[in-house]
Amino acid sequence: MYVAVKGGERAIENAHRLLAHERRGDQNVAEVSLAQISEQLSLGVDRVMTEGSLYDRELAALAIKQARGDMIEAIFLLRAFRATLPRFGATEPVDTGRMTVRRRISSTFKDIPGGQILGPTFDYTHRLLDPQLAGVSTPEAPATAEPSAATMPRVTDILGRDGLIESSPQADADLPVGDLTRDPLSFPAGRDLRLQNLARADEGFLLALGYSSQRGYGRNHPFAGEIRLGEVEVEFMAEDVGFAVPLGAITLTECQMVNQFKGSATEAPCFTRGYGLAFGQSERKTMSMALVDRALRARELGEEIMAPAQDEEFVMSHSDNVQATGFVEHLKLPHYVDFQSELGLLRKLRKEFSDNAAEISPPLQEAAE
Amino acid sequence: MAVDHTDNQARRQAAMAVLAHADAADIAAALDALDLPVHENLREPENGLVMVRGRTGGDGAPFNLGEATVSRAAVRLATGELGFGYTLGRDRQKARMIALCDALIQSADHADTIETNVLAPLRAATAVQRNHRAAQTAATRVDFYTMVRGEG
C-alpha cells in the first residue's frame, strides 16, 4: 500500500528561523564580520576554498558564517554556489616555480639555493594555549630583513638536473585535461583526474590515508623534498582579447614528496615523486595529498596493491566530503515506507521462527504431562 | 608591423597585470580625477568562473586544481578603441575599469595620461606592499651555523 505523506512545512520554516537565531547566538555579543573570518580564521577559509574547489575568500568566509563554523557544510555551500556561475574557460597552468614565496622549507637539503624560509608557521611553537589571545591583542610588528635576490628553484628541479629523480610526466597533446566536474569518473583514472580528486578531497580522509601509508599500509618512504607557500600569477587565454590576460594572483601551497626508487634493466634507479597542491595555506592537506598521490601510483610503478591508500577506486570514491556527507546524512531523512516494509518482513520472519520452534519442541507443559 | 603588434600586446598585458593586482577603490580614485572620453559598455560586466590549472609535479602535465571567481567586461571608446577587463573575484566594476583603461592605453590621446596618473601610482603602491612582505619573509630565513663540539 502506498501512502503519501505531506506536512511539516511549518515545522521546517520555524526550524530554519530557530537556526538563524541560534547562528547569531547571544545578541549582546558583537556579530562576526566576513572580513574578520577572512583575516583571522584564514586557514579555515583556505580549507573551505580548497575543498569547496572555489577560490574566493569572501564567499568562503560567508559560507563559514552561514554554516556556523561547520566546515563540511560550508564546503557544501560553496560547491552549490559554484553551479550558479558560467565557466569562461580554463587558465594557463600556474607556474609554481615563479611563486612569490612566503614560506619554503626542505627536509632533504639544509643548504638549498634561496634558503630555508619559515614564514608564518605553527612549527616550533610550544602548543601552549596563549592567555593573551583571550583578550584584545596587538601583536609585535614583524621583523624585517633585506630580501635575497636569489631565485628559488624547486628542490625537485635541483635533483632532476642530476637525473636523481624521475621527471614529471609531460602532457599528451591528444588528450584533453580530465575534469571530474564535467565527466563521470571511471577507473582506472589518469593522474590528472586523481590529482583533481585529491585536491578537493577531505583533508581528514587524506591525512588518515597518508598516515596509514607511512605506517606500512602501502609502500611509502618519503622525504618532504619541498613545501612552498606563496602567490602565483594566474593567466587566462581570453578568446575575445586574443592573448593571455593576467587575472591577478592566488595563494597556493605546494608539496613535493621524494620517495624511494624505481629502476629497471634499462633505466638507472631514481627517486620517485608524489605531488600536492592546494589553495591558500594548506600544508597538512598538500603533504597528505602528496603521500596519497604517490601511493596511488602503485599500478604505474609496478608495486603490489595491498593497502587502501593504493586503491584508486576506494580512495577516489570516498574522498569527497560533500558526496560522503550526502550519503551518510540522507539516513536521517524520512524512510517511513522503507522501514514499514522491513518491519513487515521482520514480523513475518519472527512468526515463522516461533511457528517452527513450536513444531520442533512442544510446549513444556505437554512434556511434563 | 609584427613587432609593433607584439609590443602593443606586451604593454596591454603589463597594464592589465598592474590593474588586476590593484585595489578597485584605488583604480576608481585615480580614474575619478581624470577627464574621461565618451565610452560605452560593449559587454556588460559579468561574473563567472575559470578553472585554475596546475601542473603534475609543478612542471609536468596540466590538471584541474579548482575554480576561481572572475569578473569580465568590455568597453568601447567613442573613437573606436576596444578594451577588455578581466580580474579574479566578483567585483564587476573593477573589471569595467580595467577594460576602460585597456581601451584608453590603446588611444594615442590618452595612453600617457593613464600611464602617469593611473598605472604608475598603482604600480608603485603594489611594489611597496610587495617589498614590505618580502622583507618580513626574509627575516624568517634560517641561518645555519655549525657548533663546535663541547660548545653550547
Side-chain angles (χ1 to χ4, degrees):
Chain A
M1 184 177 60
Y2 176 73
V3 185
V5 183
K6 288 192 76 168
E9 286 93 343
R10 199 172 64 191
I12 291 169
E13 195 182 309
N14 289 340
H16 292 169
R17 252 170 84 172
L18 182 58
L19 167 70
H21 177 80
E22 295 285 317
R23 175 193 293 125
R24 177 61 184 87
D26 182 350
Q27 294 190 26
N28 292 316
V29 176
E31 185 168 352
V32 70
S33 72
L34 299 192
Q36 285 171 337
I37 294 171
S38 180
E39 290 297 308
Q40 298 172 40
L41 301 176
S42 54
L43 302 193
V45 171
D46 289 342
R47 179 171 178 190
V48 170
M49 292 197 303
T50 293
E51 295 172 32
S53 204
L54 182 65
Y55 195 97
D56 189 313
R57 295 199 71 80
E58 196 185 41
L59 287 179
L62 174 61
I64 290 171
K65 181 174 176 178
Q66 188 176 333
R68 307 174 69 190
D70 179 335
M71 301 305 256
I72 293 181
E73 182 72 19
I75 289 158
F76 199 157
L77 290 170
L78 212 55
R79 292 266 187 98
F81 176 83
R82 145 195 186 273
T84 65
L85 288 178
R87 192 193 283 178
F88 297 157
T91 70
E92 300 296 300
V94 294
D95 185 356
T96 53
R98 294 178 58 195
M99 179 184 277
T100 305
V101 167
R102 286 194 287 131
R103 169 168 166 79
R104 187 265 205 136
I105 53 166
S106 171
S107 73
T108 51
F109 295 109
K110 179 166 67 71
D111 297 308
I112 40 175
Q116 306 262 0
I117 293 166
L118 300 182
T121 179
F122 292 127
D123 293 354
Y124 314 111
T125 62
H126 297 292
R127 265 77 183 210
L128 297 172
L129 277 174
D130 180 359
Q132 285 192 333
L133 283 174
V136 173
S137 64
T138 310
E140 224 181 319
T144 56
E146 190 62 36
S148 149
T151 54
M152 280 187 221
R154 283 182 289 247
V155 167
T156 43
D157 297 346
I158 300 166
L159 282 168
R161 270 177 228 149
D162 299 328
L164 292 170
I165 196 164
E166 61 176 350
S167 52
S168 298
Q170 292 307 303
D172 183 338
D174 296 332
L175 284 179
V177 181
D179 185 353
L180 54 81
T181 68
R182 292 284 165 96
D183 305 305
L185 209 49
S186 64
F187 301 104
R191 187 128 177 242
D192 52 349
L193 283 171
R194 299 203 303 260
L195 286 171
Q196 183 183 14
N197 178 283
L198 296 178
R200 52 201 260 139
D202 183 79
E203 178 174 313
F205 181 73
L206 291 191
L207 176 67
L209 282 175
Y211 180 42
S212 73
S213 75
Q214 283 181 289
R215 290 190 64 252
Y217 291 85
R219 260 172 48 151
N220 245 338
H221 303 275
F223 297 91
E226 185 183 298
I227 295 160
R228 56 169 62 194
L229 156 74
E231 280 66 47
V232 297
E233 300 295 320
V234 183
E235 286 190 342
F236 175 65
M237 180 60 218
E239 301 294 339
D240 48 359
V241 190
F243 55 78
V245 295
L247 299 179
I250 61 173
T251 304
L252 293 179
T253 305
E254 178 184 61
C255 174
Q256 306 266 6
M257 286 289 180
V258 175
N259 295 64
Q260 272 191 353
F261 330 118
K262 68 160 187 183
S264 65
T266 53
E267 270 183 280
C270 61
F271 286 115
T272 58
R273 307 164 67 152
Y275 188 65
L277 187 67
F279 291 149
Q281 183 168 6
S282 304
E283 203 157 291
R284 188 186 305 114
K285 165 67 186 257
T286 49
M287 293 182 77
S288 305
M289 177 175 170
L291 288 174
V292 177
D293 172 47
R294 175 60 186 80
L296 288 178
R297 296 181 60 208
R299 181 166 40 85
E300 170 200 345
L301 294 171
E303 295 162 354
E304 199 179 348
I305 297 176
M306 340 168 40
Q310 296 170 307
D311 181 336
E312 68 176 52
E313 190 161 345
F314 176 79
V315 173
M316 293 176 72
S317 303
H318 301 109
S319 62
D320 190 299
N321 54 25
V322 175
Q323 276 172 16
T325 204
F327 203 50
V328 168
E329 293 201 45
H330 100 281
L331 292 175
K332 69 193 172 186
L333 298 176
H335 281 68
Y336 307 140
V337 176
D338 289 351
F339 189 69
Q340 278 303 321
S341 82
E342 296 234 345
L343 203 56
L345 178 62
L346 180 63
R347 287 208 169 105
K348 189 166 153 255
L349 291 171
R350 286 172 65 87
K351 182 160 186 308
E352 281 170 17
F353 176 83
S354 60
D355 288 353
N356 284 345
E359 269 175 40
I360 292 163
S361 55
L364 275 177
Q365 243 182 344
E366 279 177 37
E369 278 175 2
Chain B
M1 192 65 199
V3 174
D4 275 0
H5 178 72
T6 313
D7 280 356
N8 189 38
Q9 178 178 317
R11 203 166 53 91
R12 289 175 64 196
Q13 279 171 317
M16 285 170 171
V18 170
L19 293 160
H21 278 101
D23 267 357
D26 294 341
I27 307 175
L31 286 174
D32 278 351
L34 300 178
D35 199 6
L36 295 171
V38 178
H39 59 274
E40 59 173 353
N41 286 349
L42 188 65
R43 176 163 62 210
E44 287 303 315
E46 60 174 339
N47 290 144
L49 302 169
V50 289
M51 175 55 90
V52 178
R53 286 191 172 155
R55 288 188 182 280
T56 306
D59 58 353
F63 69 94
N64 289 313
L65 175 63
E67 286 164 311
T69 52
V70 171
S71 303
R72 70 177 176 189
V75 165
R76 179 164 53 202
L77 303 187
T79 45
E81 290 84 355
L82 291 185
F84 295 94
Y86 279 83
T87 184
L88 288 169
R90 284 165 298 116
D91 189 339
R92 289 189 288 261
Q93 284 316 307
K94 183 176 175 185
R96 197 191 57 80
M97 291 187 289
I98 295 175
L100 178 58
C101 290
D102 181 46
L104 290 168
I105 62 166
Q106 295 173 69
S107 151
D109 292 343
H110 302 285
D112 290 345
T113 314
I114 295 299
E115 170 55 37
T116 312
N117 296 292
V118 181
L119 298 177
L122 293 177
R123 201 181 287 123
T126 305
V128 167
Q129 266 177 12
R130 274 195 188 153
N131 293 340
H132 188 57
R133 218 164 193 189
Q136 291 175 350
T137 299
T140 68
R141 187 186 156 128
V142 181
D143 288 321
F144 288 104
Y145 56 90
T146 311
M147 285 197 295
V148 178
R149 188 177 289 203
E151 197 185 306

